């Protein structure tokens, strides 16, 4: 006789409970729709992966909450972010499985779902909020915020999670970056001088090129002036209508990391920034894929949750970007030949010096 207390696959994973969680509405209504099982299972699989993403964010954010962030934790923060990215990639391709359902197959049970909608996924909202999508940035529907449209019990779940956002933590961590000003070295000044020198060189070559027609010369000169103004505005804090969400010191440090990414102490911070961009990009891809799938399934009909449907979803892909600042930084990179070399004392501080006395 099997010992009741011995662990088994089924007991460990609570398989019976898990498999008892699929209750198609169409069967309840007496007209079973074959594809509703797929619809339920795909959504439930999403919720499980959302749970894992939040689990990773818990540790990442608690590691990130320390000031300074422990050196030995930086590696696992990056590993956790990479894991989230891999999960998100899976979540994008998972839509392929749901797209084996035809729009006609979906119509067989869609009306039974109203007013339920993915819009009400509390875990999805938690992921967005934890990453750094703030309420004021969210698109409103019928002049209501996302929170206002949730049922009170869902709103409470969201409000119970009042952790700081990863974007805010990233900002604070970047703003503490040493090396941007070390002794006589000031990154901001050295970078600005390099940008001006590079743009002046371009301006001189445009001005002295006899083959260029006058109109072209003027257009090129205006473009260089504009680029100079853009670069100069980069470090001007709190400028009105700033396109940045991060603070000026954080942007400066992120740029420094991107420019000098090969320095040993910057390699892991650079990977961290890359991972955040991977996450932002893949989440955006999911939003776009989901919007396209919605168009395929219901055309431009409104959603069961009361939004305009695909129009709303496409707009979220554009507007709900979280780490967009990191992408914007690429505008300000310099080619290696224009990059000012770091002073020797700064280089030494940024190297791995094993075995030195
Ligand atoms: C036939 C398949 C699907 C259709 C037709 C569909 C339709 C929609 C529509 C129209 C919306 C906008 C809100 C509304 O008015 O209801 C929405 C939102 C949403 N759906 Fe889906 N969906 C489908 C599958 C999925 C799946 C598999 C997931 C995975 C969890 C999902 C998650 C979400 C989420 C998280 C939102 C909120 C997006 C936001 O507000 O940024 N949906 N869906």
């Amino acid at each position: 006789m099997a010992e009741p207390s011995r662990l088994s696959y089924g007991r460990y994973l609570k398989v019976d409970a898990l498999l008892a969680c699929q209750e198609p509405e169409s069967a309840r209504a007496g007209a079973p729709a074959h594809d509703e099982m797929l619809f339920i299972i795909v959504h439930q699989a999403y919720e499980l992966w959302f749970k894992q993403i939040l689990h990773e964010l818990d540790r990442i954010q608690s590691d990130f909450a320390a000031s300074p962030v422990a050196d030995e934790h930086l590696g696992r923060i990056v590993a956790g972010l990479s894991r989230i990215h891999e999960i998100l990639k899976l979540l994008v391709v998972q839509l392929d499985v749901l797209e084996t359902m035809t729009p006609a197959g979906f119509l067989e049970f869609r009306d039974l779902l109203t007013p339920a909608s993915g819009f009400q996924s509390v875990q999805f909202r938690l992921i967005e909020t934890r990453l750094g999508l703030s309420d004021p940035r969210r698109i409103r529907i019928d002049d209501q915020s996302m929170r206002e449209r949730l049922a009170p019990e869902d709103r409470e779940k969201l409000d119970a999670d009042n952790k700081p956002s990863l974007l805010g933590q990233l900002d604070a961590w970047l703003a503490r970056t040493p090396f941007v000003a070390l002794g006589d070295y000031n990154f901001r000044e050295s970078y600005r001088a390099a940008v001006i020198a590079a743009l002046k060189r371009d301006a001189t070559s445009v001005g002295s090129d006899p083959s260029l027609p006058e109109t072209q010369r003027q257009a090129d000169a205006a473009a260089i002036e504009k680029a100079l103004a853009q670069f100069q505005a980069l470090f001007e804090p709190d400028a009105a209508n700033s396109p940045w969400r991060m603070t000026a010191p954080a942007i400066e440090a992120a740029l420094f990391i991107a420019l000098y990414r090969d320095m040993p102490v910057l390699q892991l911070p650079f990977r961290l920034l890359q991972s955040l961009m991977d996450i932002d990009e893949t989440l955006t891809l999911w939003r776009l894929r989901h919007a396209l799938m919605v168009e395929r399934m219901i055309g431009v009909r409104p959603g069961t949750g009361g939004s305009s449907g695909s129009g709303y979803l496409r707009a979220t892909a554009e507007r709900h970007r979280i780490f967009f600042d990191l992408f914007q930084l690429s505008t300000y990179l310099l080619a290696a030949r224009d990059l000012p070399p770091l002073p020797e004392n700064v280089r030494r501080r940024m190297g791995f010096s094993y075995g030195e006395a």
Side-chain angles (χ1 to χ4, degrees):
M1 203 174 74
E3 294 168 45
S5 60
R6 269 186 88 188
L7 203 56
S8 70
Y9 177 88
R11 229 175 281 133
Y12 178 56
L13 297 173
K14 311 239 182 313
V15 174
D16 288 345
L18 201 59
L19 300 186
C21 290
Q22 295 74 36
E23 295 178 9
E25 283 293 315
S26 58
R28 200 200 305 273
H34 179 82
D35 285 353
E36 194 182 350
M37 183 61 83
L38 177 72
F39 187 80
I40 293 175
I41 287 181
V42 168
H43 278 84
Q44 288 179 339
Y46 269 97
E47 289 295 332
L48 284 175
W49 283 121
F50 289 164
K51 182 170 180 169
Q52 183 65 37
I53 292 176
L54 287 167
H55 183 63
E56 298 301 335
L57 280 176
D58 279 344
R59 189 170 75 180
I60 290 167
Q61 293 199 270
S62 102
D63 284 349
F64 232 160
S67 173
V69 173
D71 286 347
E72 63 271 29
H73 285 169
L74 206 53
R76 73 181 194 189
I77 290 176
V78 174
L81 292 172
S82 302
R83 183 176 289 171
I84 292 176
H85 175 224
E86 291 303 324
I87 295 172
L88 287 172
K89 279 160 65 181
L90 199 64
L91 296 188
V92 174
V93 294
Q94 197 164 285
L95 290 177
D96 292 344
V97 184
L98 193 54
E99 280 186 337
T100 61
M101 175 174 78
T102 62
F106 184 42
L107 260 187
E108 279 183 41
F109 61 93
R110 180 182 187 240
D111 287 349
L112 298 169
L113 307 180
T114 310
S117 162
F119 188 89
Q120 299 149 354
S121 167
V122 174
Q123 291 203 103
F124 184 77
R125 297 310 179 197
L126 280 173
I127 292 171
E128 290 180 323
T129 311
R130 288 272 211 95
L131 288 177
L133 179 61
S134 64
D135 281 353
R137 293 201 70 86
R138 288 179 185 274
I139 296 169
R140 294 169 75 82
I141 299 176
D142 293 340
D143 209 26
Q144 279 186 313
S145 69
M146 178 273 290
R147 258 159 217 274
E148 284 165 337
R149 292 184 75 83
L150 290 184
E153 68 268 23
D154 288 343
R155 203 177 311 133
E156 266 169 39
K157 282 187 205 154
L158 208 53
D159 291 343
D161 186 279
N162 54 3
K163 297 207 171 65
S165 75
L166 188 57
L167 179 62
Q169 291 181 311
L170 173 75
D171 197 294
W173 175 74
L174 283 171
R176 293 195 303 265
T177 304
F179 313 118
V180 284
L182 205 65
D184 289 344
Y185 175 68
N186 183 304
F187 163 63
R188 186 185 299 202
E189 282 165 14
S190 118
Y191 169 80
R192 188 176 283 162
V195 167
I196 291 172
L199 291 175
K200 274 196 179 145
R201 187 194 57 213
D202 292 351
T204 311
S205 73
V206 165
S208 60
D209 184 348
S211 67
L212 278 182
E214 188 52 28
T215 46
Q216 180 68 48
R217 198 197 315 278
Q218 281 173 8
D220 286 355
I224 290 167
E225 279 302 311
K226 194 173 160 219
L228 191 57
Q230 207 175 13
F231 274 87
Q232 274 172 344
L234 181 62
F235 296 128
E236 278 161 27
D238 303 326
N241 304 322
S242 163
W244 301 96
R245 285 165 220 179
M246 295 197 307
T247 60
I251 294 163
E252 181 179 343
L255 183 61
F256 178 76
I257 292 169
L259 288 170
Y260 296 103
R261 62 198 170 278
D262 292 333
M263 293 306 297
V265 291
L266 297 184
Q267 290 172 10
L268 212 46
F270 181 65
R271 275 182 51 205
L272 190 145
L273 299 184
Q274 295 280 96
S275 294
L276 292 171
M277 288 164 79
D278 289 340
I279 288 174
D280 196 282
E281 190 170 321
T282 314
L283 192 55
T284 305
L285 272 181
W286 182 85
R287 291 187 194 279
L288 286 171
R289 267 303 308 274
H290 174 256
L292 286 173
M293 181 190 66
V294 168
E295 272 168 32
R296 182 182 181 134
M297 294 291 172
I298 61 168
V300 290
R301 290 189 213 199
T304 47
S307 80
S308 63
S310 75
Y312 160 75
L313 294 167
R314 278 171 181 266
T316 63
E318 192 60 44
R319 291 258 310 270
H320 289 185
R321 301 279 300 276
I322 296 166
F323 299 104
F324 185 61
D325 282 6
L326 299 177
F327 292 73
Q328 287 204 78
L329 275 182
S330 301
T331 318
Y332 301 94
L333 294 183
L334 289 174
R337 66 192 162 110
D338 295 325
L339 192 63
L342 291 168
E344 191 47 36
N345 63 327
V346 179
R347 284 184 71 83
R348 239 181 296 119
R349 292 279 296 275
M350 293 171 70
F352 296 139
S353 44
Y354 301 115
E356 269 190 15

